[in-house]
């Protein structure tokens, strides 16, 4: 737990403290996660989550969601520090990121997934949102950035339709089926001029990038 929470808290505050010492820095855009928004412990069927939602630290502790707790505490500390030190801060809260890879090796997020449903967003939309949040004078506060909420089986079915050679499970023994449990509002994100990429495009471009880098063959 501490190995996640301490770096998240200290790292975030150290960066903001450094920024507060440079007068030429007019705004700071912080990358967070949709995880700091959606974990409230409340029933969430058919609800639409937006920037007014905040993850409950107590729920994270009770559920042992240490990564989510680290991000949530880091956001709380960042807003407190920015307000106390007069920093114009904007936060971006992306879901799970898809899209072409730039890094030379695979990381944890690319290799494994363990939740029944996901909030997806294209990496190019995330990059564009950061630029817009920094450059647009009217940008303010928090921005959820999710293009699609999709159950794992639905996501893999889309993958299989695009690439029939990729084998996927035919049955899901321990997971619910049907519609996602919630949606995430795109209204504020679109105010940045963001046109969110369809999941099918993101999946296709991800696979083509993996093939190009010889991570997968089929």
């Amino acid at each position: 737990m501490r190995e996640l929470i301490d770096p998240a808290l200290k790292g975030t505050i150290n960066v903001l403290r450094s920024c507060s010492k440079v007068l030429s820095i007019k705004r700071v855009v912080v990358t967070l996660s949709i995880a700091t928004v959606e974990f409230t412990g409340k029933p969430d069927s058919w609800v639409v989550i937006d920037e007014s939602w905040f993850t409950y630290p107590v729920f994270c502790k009770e559920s042992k969601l240490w990564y989510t707790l680290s991000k949530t505490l880091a956001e709380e500390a960042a807003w407190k520090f920015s307000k106390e030190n007069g920093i114009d801060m904007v936060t971006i809260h992306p879901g799970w990121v898809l899209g072409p890879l730039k890094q030379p090796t695979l990381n944890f997020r690319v290799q494994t997934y363990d939740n029944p449903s996901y909030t997806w967003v294209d990496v190019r939309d995330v990059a564009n949102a950061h630029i817009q949040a920094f450059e647009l004078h009217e940008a303010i506060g928090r921005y959820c950035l999710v293009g699609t909420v999709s159950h794992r089986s639905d996501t893999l079915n889309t993958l299989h339709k695009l690439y029939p050679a990729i084998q996927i499970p035919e049955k899901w023994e321990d997971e619910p089926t049907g519609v996602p449990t919630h949606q995430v509002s795109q209204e504020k994100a679109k105010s940045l001029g963001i046109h969110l990429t369809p999941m099918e495009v993101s999946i296709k471009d991800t696979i083509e990038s993996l093939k190009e880098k010889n991570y997968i063959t089929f």
Side-chain angles (χ1 to χ4, degrees):
M1 177 178 69
R2 300 311 312 179
E3 63 270 19
L4 288 174
I5 294 175
D6 288 347
L9 278 170
K10 294 176 181 178
T12 301
I13 296 304
N14 285 343
V15 170
L16 289 175
R17 183 175 290 113
S18 296
C19 291
S20 70
K21 298 175 182 178
V22 182
L23 296 179
S24 61
I25 294 178
K26 303 302 182 183
R27 172 174 290 170
V28 179
V29 180
V30 179
T31 309
L32 287 165
S33 169
I34 197 65
T36 69
V37 178
E38 60 185 352
F39 289 91
T40 64
K42 298 178 180 179
D44 57 1
S45 297
W46 296 104
V47 300
V48 178
I49 293 171
D50 63 22
E51 288 76 8
S52 68
W53 285 53
F54 288 85
T55 287
Y56 294 167
V58 172
F59 174 75
C60 294
K61 292 176 183 177
E62 292 173 347
S63 304
K64 294 181 169 50
L65 300 172
W66 306 126
Y67 170 81
T68 302
L69 179 62
S70 72
K71 290 294 187 181
T72 299
L73 295 178
E75 181 182 7
E76 288 182 358
W79 282 117
K80 183 176 185 294
F81 185 91
S82 65
K83 291 173 182 177
E84 290 175 349
N85 291 272
I87 297 174
D88 180 8
M89 188 179 78
V90 175
T91 59
I92 304 295
H93 301 256
W96 290 74
V97 180
L98 286 173
L101 282 69
K102 293 295 184 183
Q103 71 269 28
T105 58
L106 292 178
N107 58 34
F108 171 80
R109 285 183 176 274
V110 174
Q111 295 183 82
T112 182
Y113 305 100
D114 58 4
N115 288 327
S117 64
Y118 300 98
T119 52
W120 300 107
V121 65
D122 192 283
V123 64
R124 293 159 292 194
D125 298 337
V126 177
N128 191 26
H130 281 75
I131 294 170
Q132 294 295 92
F134 181 76
E135 294 185 346
L136 292 178
H137 176 74
E138 60 270 25
I140 186 172
R142 309 165 88 214
Y143 288 86
C144 296
L145 203 64
V146 172
T148 302
V149 181
S150 176
H151 190 270
R152 182 193 299 176
S153 60
D154 295 330
T155 305
L156 289 180
N157 284 335
T158 300
L159 171 64
H160 187 63
K161 289 178 182 178
L162 291 169
Y163 297 94
I166 296 179
Q167 298 300 311
I168 66 170
E170 294 182 1
K171 294 183 179 180
W172 302 85
E173 296 180 354
D174 59 348
E175 297 179 1
T177 58
V179 298
T181 57
H182 66 275
Q183 293 296 319
V184 179
S185 174
Q186 300 176 353
E187 184 177 354
K188 193 174 181 187
K190 289 181 178 179
S191 73
L192 293 174
I194 305 299
H195 299 284
L196 292 161
T197 304
M199 185 178 68
E200 292 81 0
V201 174
S202 298
I203 290 175
K204 186 176 188 300
D205 290 349
T206 300
I207 296 299
E208 292 302 317
S209 178
L210 290 169
K211 289 171 62 179
E212 181 182 344
K213 296 178 184 297
N214 296 316
Y215 290 132
I216 59 173
T217 57
F218 55 87

